[in-house]
């Protein structure tokens, strides 16, 4: 997964690809500009119109940005329609994702919207609530992926909350791991939570 040239998001995508299959239902808990949403759509969309990406972001501007990015990047209208976008806090994901959905992946890419207001960031309290919600909706064999940026103010506090959540998960039902560049101390940290 790791070479010096790869961005943290590419490493995360490579991990997702090892878990997600065509036809799966996945959640993008932080749509931002839609790069992760598009990567997820490509992983789940199959020729029978199966596969769903439920995306959310607290900022209307991020939902608009994701929506127009997808319109530009995905020619097939039916594929665009596999993505459902909601301008809500990710702590409310259970209100969005259908109760009977078998969710294979919940992806978080924390921090601020690139190119947007850098003061509007994910915060520990709602991130923790969202992780709890994600752990409830995730199906067996699924993955919660959390990319945490530690270079901005508040980033390390958020990492503390994510790590504390990860270490609280029972070992008989969860495997938690952390991917961190040891020779780049402020590089983003990838936390992976696999539900057995
Ligand atoms: N995944 C995005 C992409 O591929 O472009 C990048 C996400 S960006 C690093 C983090 C996003 O989290 C921002 O767009 C921000 O608005 C959003 N965010 C902040 N707090 C949130 C919350 N409570 N619920 C959902 N999204 C939130």
């Amino acid at each position: 997964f790791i070479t010096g040239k790869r961005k943290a998001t590419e490493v995360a995508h490579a991990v997702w690809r090892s878990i997600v299959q065509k036809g799966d239902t996945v959640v993008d808990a932080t749509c931002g500009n839609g790069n992760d949403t598009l990567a997820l759509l490509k992983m789940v969309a199959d020729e029978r119109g199966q596969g769903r990406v439920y995306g959310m972001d607290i900022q209307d501007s991020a939902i608009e940005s994701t929506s127009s990015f997808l319109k530009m990047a995905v020619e097939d209208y039916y594929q665009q329609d596999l993505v459902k976008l909601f301008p809500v806090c990710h702590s409310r994901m259970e209100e969005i994702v259908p109760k009977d959905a078998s969710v294979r992946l919940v992806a978080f890419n924390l921090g601020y919207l690139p190119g947007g207001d850098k003061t509007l960031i994910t915060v520990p309290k709602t991130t923790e609530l969202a992780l709890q919600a994600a752990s409830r909706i995730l199906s067996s064999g699924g993955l919660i992926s959390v990319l945490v940026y530690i270079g901005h103010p508040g980033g390390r506090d958020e990492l503390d909350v994510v790590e504390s959540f990860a270490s609280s998960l029972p070992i008989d039902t969860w495997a938690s791991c952390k991917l961190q560049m040891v020779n780049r101390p402020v590089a983003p940290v990838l936390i992976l939570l696999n539900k057995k």
Side-chain angles (χ1 to χ4, degrees):
F1 291 136
I2 303 172
T3 74
K5 288 186 183 154
R6 266 190 158 176
K7 289 200 303 183
T9 46
E10 291 170 7
V11 174
H13 291 185
V15 175
W16 302 351
R17 267 193 291 276
S18 70
I19 299 263
V20 175
Q21 293 167 7
K22 299 278 179 207
D24 279 350
T25 295
V26 296
V27 174
D28 184 350
T30 48
C31 289
N33 292 320
N35 300 293
D36 293 324
T37 320
L38 176 63
L40 288 168
L41 176 61
K42 286 183 177 163
M43 289 177 214
V44 302
D46 72 7
E47 59 288 346
R48 290 176 300 132
Q50 304 286 310
R52 286 286 177 283
V53 185
Y54 291 93
M56 61 211 75
D57 199 291
I58 198 94
Q59 296 188 64
D60 290 340
S61 58
I63 294 295
E64 282 156 23
S65 173
T66 295
S67 179
S68 48
F69 177 60
L70 292 175
K71 281 198 184 97
M72 198 185 64
V74 184
E75 280 179 16
D76 183 342
Y77 175 78
Y78 293 101
Q79 271 203 15
Q80 285 176 23
D81 209 36
L82 302 180
V83 179
K84 312 291 176 196
L85 297 174
F86 300 86
V88 296
C89 175
H90 40 215
S91 60
R92 295 174 54 197
M93 67 177 75
E94 284 160 300
E95 296 169 31
I96 290 164
V97 180
K99 300 245 174 306
D100 58 352
S102 177
V103 177
R104 180 86 70 179
L105 174 84
V106 182
F108 292 83
N109 188 338
L110 301 176
Y112 55 81
L113 179 64
D117 183 345
K118 291 190 177 172
T119 61
L120 283 172
I121 53 172
T122 52
V123 290
K125 185 67 216 162
T126 41
T127 298
E128 187 179 17
L129 290 172
L131 286 169
Q132 289 166 355
S135 70
R136 287 190 291 266
I137 65 168
L138 195 72
S139 63
S140 183
L143 181 77
I144 301 175
S145 164
V146 195
L147 194 56
V148 194
Y149 297 85
I150 51 180
H152 66 271
R156 283 191 190 273
D157 297 333
E158 199 160 37
L159 179 63
D160 284 347
V161 163
V162 177
E163 283 195 8
S164 137
F165 177 80
S167 37
S168 74
L169 293 169
I171 55 168
D172 53 335
T173 40
W174 289 88
S176 312
C177 84
K178 173 180 168 185
L179 221 54
Q180 183 166 31
M181 301 281 287
V182 285
N183 62 349
R184 279 186 56 212
V186 291
V189 178
L190 182 60
I191 307 275
L192 300 166
L193 313 173
N194 178 228
K195 195 173 191 174
K196 292 183 186 169

